Amino acid sequence: MLELESIEGIGPKTKELINKLGITTGEELLNYYPYRYDIIKRSDMTNIEDGDKIIIDGIIEGQPTIIYISKSLKKIIFRISTKSSILNVTIYNKTYIYQDLKCGKEVTIIGKYNKIKNTIVASDVRFGLLPLTVKIEPVYSTINGLSIKQISKFISSVLYCEDYEVNNFIPKYLEEKYNFISKKEAIYNIHIPTDILTLKKARQRIKYEELFMYVLKINYLKSKIENDKKAISRTLDRDKINKFILSLPFHLTLDQAKAVSDILDDLEKPKRMNRLLQGDVGSGKTIVAFIAIYANYLANYQSALMAPTEILANQHYEEAKKIFSNYKLNIALLTSSTSTKEKKEIYENLNNGKINLIIGTQALIQEKVVYKKLGLVITDEQHRFGVNQRDAFKNKGISPDVLSMSATPIPRTYALTIYGDTDISSIKSKPPGRKEVITIFKKEKDITEVLEMMKEELDKKHQIYVVAPMIEDDENDKKETVKDLEEKMNKAFGKIAKIGVVHGKLDSKEKNKVMSDFEKNRINILISTTVIEVGVNVPNASMIVIFNANMFGLSTLHQLRGRVGRNNIQSYCILIAKESQERLRLLEKTNDGFEISEYDFQTRGEGDLFGVRQSGALGFKMANIKKDFKMLLKAKEDADEFINILFTFNTNPEFSPIIEELQKIDNLD
Ligand code: ADP
Ligand code: MG
């Protein structure tokens, strides 16, 4: 390991700045890749603009001068004659080259052109007329106080002078198969690229390595799940479970029944369940979760249900109390607004087993909760959570089964590769009788039409969501905010409707009050930010009006739209923006979450589709699942084959960096 401070130019202060970039060692510095490159072309001084970076050669005219500006700042100035003109050159601080700058010498200058002063501020001077036609300069993202040049310099100094280690994660036979350049060479060329072709090769190698390791990690997780000795197997009381299902106020849809059957089978098997339940908004995932919870309860295990927001946790809690009102399940709610006294009691009752079902937010895992016999963990809207959060469920000697629920469907093509360690159940159909939500786009200037539509719904005693992107204005920004909308709505409907406001900055008590008033139909119009985006279920709401719709991703809009149409009444989603956009129009055409996420994915990149999977411990620095999908498929083929080789020849020293890297995720699963 190479200490940062052993690198020339890095003192304690600079080290701190570098740490802020998430870099703690010299090796990590080498893994800090440029996010783009500036390509500097050779110039003949025609078509050149102020500020352009260029390469130019010429002959030194007259004697260069050193000017001492201050103790730490010096510059050398001289003139060169090029093919077409005379140019001034300024070089800061590199006074050591002064003695080589002789009148009449040929030089190649790389630098930035200042048109007014007819000067090039040189970043590099080479002697002789070099066959240099382009220079590729890496650009790093950085923070205040640390320049790109400094980062570049530190990295170069490691590459030139230091004895650093690179971990190679591609086995030799695969390196040969693809004719990859070595890792060391790749890293060198990423930071100090000499030509575009080699840079491309370097990037190919690094990307492939990331994708290969990614799939390998997924495969490793999978084998861990399959071989988990602490996994639970239960005998389920199918009779009682069926009776419970029959007692529900509705029949399960076919897809719900199929998902339930998948899950119950998982719970019985002596293998740990790791299942993703994906289903479009409003498809009825919650009840599937409750059935699993009931089955788990009958087998004498505790369940934990985790939601990404307090609003949603509350709602699940209320729903669970209703569903289980005739059963002996002891249910508790744990969020950040639970009082210390209540919390203490809850911890105790989780530890002694009195609580059968705990529902909560991240508070569930942030605190040191110890369960007596936790058998099932369910995360709702799982794309909001990291993979590693599940691990925090402290438990005594058993691995709970895990069910993740998500309304952000993963396009089929990607699901298998990305979630290779996860079984997937999909609910594609909606409960019967649901009318498709009608989506209508309106331009801002047509707001009166929107108000008329709202009035019609209010007259039918239906409720309405009104959504704005933010709480208050960013100074003179002309966006509709929650505050503006409150005024507008009060003016339009203050006499005939009760209007409530909810957003992330309210404290939880206020939030809960507003939400519960809305649920009980004491509020007719709820103005909110996207805090209502996930999960909220108020079936009497028949209209959602979204201002500045262009500011949201399609998946978010689809989620928001999912707040209505949860009943058999015709519901509407009104999207408002200044200008019509093709992507907004897509929502008018389709209600299919899969189609929308596919479109979002194709046009915007993976976004938060893969959540933490993408950016967290399993994430990529250079590769991109979408752009490099073909490579990912190859890497998957190779990794699927290699994992078996690895398990058979795990003492081969060539593989030890790979094994070490895999073991790092042991704590994350
Ligand atoms: P989501 O999948 O978005 O989480 P919910 O679980 O909140 O959806 O379900 C949406 C609504 O549909 C709820 O009011 C729920 O009670 C109702 N529901 C669920 N399943 C059925 C069904 N099979 N028949 C009728 N209504 C159902
Ligand atoms: Mg839900």
Side-chain angles (χ1 to χ4, degrees), residues 173-188:
Y173 76 94
L174 287 172
E175 270 190 340
E176 280 162 16
K177 176 178 169 185
Y178 294 107
N179 218 346
F180 282 137
I181 60 174
S182 75
K183 176 83 173 263
K184 251 194 159 143
E185 211 184 330
I187 294 283
Y188 184 93

Side-chain angles (χ1 to χ4, degrees), residues 81-93:
S81 60
T82 73
K83 277 197 191 100
S84 54
S85 62
I86 302 270
L87 271 177
N88 301 309
V89 180
T90 303
I91 307 169
Y92 285 98
N93 281 342

Side-chain angles (χ1 to χ4, degrees), residues 249-254 256 279-288 312 315-316 319 323 380-381 405-407 427 430-432 434 535-539 559 562-563 565-568:
F250 44 72
H251 290 296
L252 293 186
T253 62
L254 211 61
Q256 281 175 320
D280 214 339
V281 276
S283 62
K285 297 182 290 292
T286 318
I287 194 64
V288 175
L312 195 51
Q315 183 187 292
H316 282 330
E319 185 71 20
I323 294 264
D380 194 10
E381 305 300 344
M405 305 197 286
S406 172
I427 308 182
K430 293 253 166 86
R434 291 280 162 80
V536 173
N537 187 34
V538 179
Q559 281 280 334
R563 295 315 110 222
R566 300 186 150 249
N567 200 331
N568 294 344

Side-chain angles (χ1 to χ4, degrees), residues 6 30 451 550 553:
S6 71
L30 294 183
L451 294 176
N550 52 307

Side-chain angles (χ1 to χ4, degrees), residues 81-206:
S81 60
T82 73
K83 277 197 191 100
S84 54
S85 62
I86 302 270
L87 271 177
N88 301 309
V89 180
T90 303
I91 307 169
Y92 285 98
N93 281 342
K94 290 184 185 158
T95 44
Y96 54 86
I97 64 164
Y98 178 72
Q99 55 197 15
D100 293 322
L101 294 169
K102 293 270 153 57
C103 178
K105 240 186 175 169
E106 290 171 329
V107 286
T108 300
I109 309 280
I110 300 163
K112 209 177 190 172
Y113 181 60
N114 179 325
K115 198 163 189 170
I116 299 171
K117 294 183 180 159
N118 188 37
T119 295
I120 297 211
V121 179
S123 57
D124 200 354
V125 175
R126 315 261 180 104
F127 294 99
L129 300 178
L130 297 185
L132 193 64
T133 52
V134 288
K135 184 167 194 266
I136 310 167
E137 273 189 0
V139 183
Y140 300 89
S141 60
T142 185
I143 48 170
N144 248 341
L146 194 65
S147 68
I148 293 175
K149 234 183 179 163
Q150 275 175 298
I151 296 177
S152 205
K153 201 184 99 197
F154 300 145
I155 292 175
S156 300
S157 117
V158 176
L159 289 170
Y160 287 135
C161 325
E162 304 285 350
D163 190 19
Y164 60 89
E165 296 158 33
V166 290
N167 282 324
N168 175 18
F169 299 124
I170 308 181
K172 256 200 209 82
Y173 76 94
L174 287 172
E175 270 190 340
E176 280 162 16
K177 176 178 169 185
Y178 294 107
N179 218 346
F180 282 137
I181 60 174
S182 75
K183 176 83 173 263
K184 251 194 159 143
E185 211 184 330
I187 294 283
Y188 184 93
N189 276 282
I190 294 290
H191 296 294
I192 310 177
T194 44
D195 63 282
I196 289 173
L197 192 72
T198 322
L199 176 60
K200 217 171 163 180
K201 277 191 186 160
R203 286 175 54 84
Q204 291 288 99
R205 194 226 134 86
I206 301 289

